[in-house]
Amino acid sequence: MNTSLKLSYGLEKNNAAAFATVAAKAGDVKFKASMTDATFVNGPSLTGLALAVEKPGSFVIDFDVPKKDFKFRFMNTINVAGKPLNLTYMHNRGENRTTLDGALVVDSANKVSGSYMFGTKDNFKLKYTYVHGGTTTFEPCFDFAGKSWDFMLSRKVYGDDVVRATYKTSNRVIGLDWSRNSKQSFKISAIIDLNEESKVPKLFAESTWTFES
């Protein structure tokens, strides 16, 4: 059985928040429990507690304990003209929201993705992903509902490390992060809202430890 522990800490102006996730893998199935500092700050409680069961590539079921709310995700892959099309069906019971995501992998360097929310007219997003040389990824995304663009640029550095920058034109927010994916993973992020006069970045840090038994 593999077990992992992820700790996250966020700092926004004078406010701080902490999060923790414990995950255990038994065979093909993962079990996760997520907590926030609100779960323990005034003594143990159900506040901020969430549970999840996941079979990678097949399904994810999330349960928000205090809200008694379920979220379902089901994944499948079909072939279209010899190319894999990855489909994800998502339903949020509490918000009564259903979406369908699809990603067509053209080749190792090109992928086209789309996301549609059912029950809406124009709530559709279209994204193109281009990987150059296996190290640099450029990803523009157009939101038809908001008629706005999002952009992402990332690059692998120092082997397992990835630096990434994002920009959302709809709300003028810049995101920067540096991450490493290994047995002792970490991610350091900063979010800058260009609409704020001070433009002080919101900082986040998370670290994950994986244990094998």
Side-chain angles (χ1 to χ4, degrees):
M1 177 181 289
N2 292 338
T3 305
S4 65
L5 171 64
K6 181 168 73 174
L7 301 176
S8 305
Y9 182 79
L11 180 62
E12 179 181 350
K13 295 182 180 179
N14 295 323
N15 298 319
F19 308 87
T21 300
V22 179
K25 183 178 181 181
D28 294 334
V29 180
K30 290 183 179 180
F31 302 90
K32 293 194 296 184
S34 302
M35 297 146 280
T36 69
D37 50 0
T39 310
F40 302 99
V41 67
N42 293 318
S45 69
L46 298 179
T47 304
L49 178 63
L51 306 175
V53 180
E54 174 185 0
K55 184 177 181 181
S58 296
F59 67 84
V60 180
I61 301 174
D62 294 299
F63 179 57
D64 188 317
V65 177
K67 294 181 180 179
K68 298 180 180 179
D69 184 20
F70 282 97
K71 296 179 183 178
F72 304 91
R73 279 180 285 170
F74 299 97
M75 292 81 81
N76 197 9
T77 300
I78 61 176
N79 286 324
V80 177
K83 306 294 183 181
L85 175 62
N86 302 318
L87 298 172
T88 302
Y89 172 87
M90 294 172 285
H91 178 70
N92 186 321
R93 193 185 68 169
E95 299 179 3
N96 193 26
R97 182 177 62 188
T98 303
T99 60
L100 179 65
D101 292 350
L104 180 65
V105 182
V106 180
D107 52 39
S108 59
N110 298 275
K111 181 173 68 175
V112 179
S113 308
S115 178
Y116 175 72
M117 182 184 297
F118 290 93
T120 61
K121 182 179 179 181
D122 299 321
N123 204 329
F124 178 71
K125 293 181 180 180
L126 185 63
K127 179 169 61 178
Y128 170 67
T129 303
Y130 171 67
V131 181
H132 179 72
T135 58
T136 303
T137 302
F138 176 62
E139 201 171 76
C141 177
F142 185 72
D143 184 346
F144 286 84
K147 294 180 174 55
S148 61
W149 286 92
D150 295 338
F151 298 96
M152 189 280 294
L153 180 66
S154 69
R155 182 174 176 82
K156 292 182 179 179
V157 294
Y158 307 121
D160 293 330
D161 292 15
V162 176
V163 292
R164 187 179 68 152
T166 60
Y167 178 61
K168 296 184 177 182
T169 61
S170 59
N171 54 10
R172 301 181 69 237
V173 170
I174 295 175
L176 302 170
D177 62 62
W178 173 28
S179 62
R180 176 178 298 167
N181 188 13
S182 61
K183 285 189 176 181
Q184 292 185 349
S185 304
F186 70 82
K187 182 178 180 180
I188 301 172
S189 307
I191 297 176
I192 304 171
D193 189 343
L194 298 181
N195 298 298
E196 295 182 353
E197 184 176 353
S198 62
K199 296 180 177 57
V200 176
K202 303 171 185 177
L203 302 177
F204 303 89
E206 65 181 46
S207 183
T208 303
W209 292 269
T210 301
F211 311 94
E212 296 182 0
S213 59

